[in-house]
Amino acid sequence: GGFAMECLVCAETVSHVSVLPCGHADLCSLCTLRLRTVVNDKRCCACQTEAAEVYVARHREQEGWSPTFPKDLRRRAKSGEVHPMKGSKGVYFEEEAHRDEMDVKCALTCSVCYEKGNSNVKFNSMKALKAHLREMHGKFMCDVCLRGRQVFVTEQVLYTRSELNRHYKRGDTKGPMAEAGFKGHPTCQFCKKHFYSDQELYSHMQTKHLQCFLCKRARPNEYVYYRDLLQLTDHFREQHHFCDHAECKPRHPEERAFGTAEDLRVHEVRCHGKELSKAERKMALRISLEGPETREGG
């Protein structure tokens, strides 16, 4: 200790360091609060030990100084020696002024007003903050980023209306999202809904929409989806072999779809061949099974 240090997460020079019970002191106060309140991760970044409480102290650059975790934080908080931050999940501050500064950054605060020196423009709801940004500054936040980007509200990028449209479709021309290579939010073609990342879109498609099991079996690396069971059934009829027998109508469409004409014929004989004699059924099955050797599906 005793010299200038950089935060292990953001790599910025630390003015106030977060000290954990395990003894590690590697993060700035802002990254500590972001991890604990936004990401909901209370683990130490160095040793992964979960910390119920954190002590934020001003970093001293004099030689020989080393940050230590106070064992009696709660007693000190009651006596006013340290300053807990409401809603911070166990973060205590050595300096009350720094606690108040961090409180503003973590709250529903207008970042435009804050940058102009007015730190008192706080709101009780996201709706009120959005209305203020729109009416007073002509600025908008991306609702998809609000759900998916794990930063404080004051760290969210603000856009004009035209910039926001571009952001959704093609990404940003400047700022942290552009620097990260962001190229726009992926969209579900069926729901017309934007998602924060390709992984989120994939999870949505897997749970809300459908794939053809026959196509997936033949081409496992292709990802083609259908809006609903009705659209998938139309696909079965148009691209595969589908049983429309009255007895099959109560069944799930996937039970009525077959990869080849031979497979459908076997199904028809076995499931709907009651009017055939035993010999006729046997002959039909033998003809089907002696069909072409190269068949799709099974």
Side-chain angles (χ1 to χ4, degrees):
F3 299 99
M5 65 170 285
E6 291 183 349
C7 173
L8 191 64
V9 173
C10 69
E12 296 289 336
T13 301
V14 170
S15 64
H16 292 76
V17 63
S18 297
V19 191
L20 276 65
C22 59
H24 290 111
D26 304 294
L27 268 61
C28 68
S29 51
L30 194 61
C31 285
T32 296
L33 287 165
R34 190 184 296 111
L35 282 170
R36 294 178 77 84
T37 63
V38 179
V39 185
N40 198 28
D41 187 350
K42 297 181 180 179
R43 293 173 298 170
C44 170
C45 288
C47 67
Q48 299 299 299
T49 302
E50 186 161 310
E53 296 170 332
V54 177
Y55 178 60
V56 177
R58 182 172 59 83
H59 180 65
R60 279 84 164 170
E61 294 191 14
Q62 66 262 34
E63 190 172 351
W65 180 79
S66 181
T68 56
F69 182 83
K71 299 298 182 183
D72 53 351
L73 265 180
R74 295 186 184 183
R75 181 194 64 76
R76 291 192 182 193
K78 286 181 179 179
S79 65
E81 296 174 62
V82 298
H83 311 280
M85 180 174 164
K86 187 178 180 181
S88 66
K89 300 184 179 178
V91 181
Y92 296 78
F93 290 78
E94 176 188 20
E95 297 176 351
E96 187 175 11
H98 186 60
R99 189 274 310 271
D100 294 343
E101 180 188 353
M102 290 297 102
D103 186 49
V104 170
K105 290 189 175 182
C106 300
L108 292 176
T109 306
C110 173
S111 57
V112 179
C113 293
Y114 180 78
E115 288 171 7
K116 292 178 179 178
N118 187 352
S119 61
N120 296 318
V121 188
K122 295 182 184 179
F123 299 87
N124 293 323
S125 70
M126 182 63 71
K127 184 178 179 181
L129 172 57
K130 285 181 176 180
H132 167 84
L133 287 167
R134 181 179 67 250
E135 295 164 11
M136 300 303 295
H137 307 297
K139 295 287 188 177
F140 303 85
M141 286 187 284
C142 170
D143 287 330
V144 179
C145 288
L146 278 173
R147 293 194 306 268
R149 190 168 172 239
Q150 294 184 319
V151 297
F152 294 118
V153 171
T154 52
E155 296 174 318
Q156 294 287 355
V157 180
L158 300 180
Y159 304 93
T160 62
R161 180 72 74 183
S162 60
E163 288 172 342
L164 184 60
N165 289 335
R166 178 194 167 88
H167 167 81
Y168 275 115
K169 296 175 182 177
R170 303 191 303 278
D172 299 0
T173 57
K174 60 184 178 180
M177 300 290 281
E179 292 166 9
F182 174 70
K183 300 298 182 185
H185 291 298
T187 308
C188 172
Q189 61 180 323
F190 303 123
C191 303
K192 306 303 179 188
K193 180 181 177 182
H194 294 285
F195 292 86
Y196 185 70
S197 63
D198 290 333
Q199 182 58 45
E200 279 194 5
L201 174 61
Y202 174 75
S203 297
H204 168 81
M205 299 303 288
Q206 288 290 106
T207 55
K208 301 298 183 181
H209 301 294
L210 303 168
Q211 287 181 285
C212 170
F213 75 98
L214 293 167
C215 292
K216 192 69 178 171
R217 183 190 300 167
R219 297 177 294 279
N221 294 324
E222 288 186 10
Y223 293 88
V224 179
Y225 295 90
Y226 299 88
R227 180 193 302 275
D228 50 29
L229 200 54
L230 184 63
Q231 192 178 72
L232 179 60
T233 302
D234 289 340
H235 166 78
F236 285 147
R237 284 197 172 96
E238 293 168 7
Q239 300 296 324
H240 301 292
H241 302 271
F242 193 73
C243 179
D244 272 315
H245 195 284
E247 292 178 349
C248 259
K249 286 187 178 179
R251 292 186 176 187
H252 192 281
E254 287 187 343
E255 297 180 87
R256 302 161 64 189
F258 300 89
T260 66
E262 289 82 8
D263 290 339
L264 176 59
R265 179 61 179 161
V266 169
H267 163 79
E268 289 173 336
V269 171
R270 286 177 174 168
C271 297
H272 314 305
K274 297 186 182 71
E275 61 275 9
L276 298 177
S277 66
K278 186 175 180 180
E280 287 173 329
R281 291 180 65 192
K282 188 175 181 180
M283 178 61 71
L285 284 172
R286 187 175 67 81
I287 293 172
S288 294
L289 294 173
E290 288 177 358
E293 291 294 322
T294 55
R295 296 185 297 175
E296 296 177 47

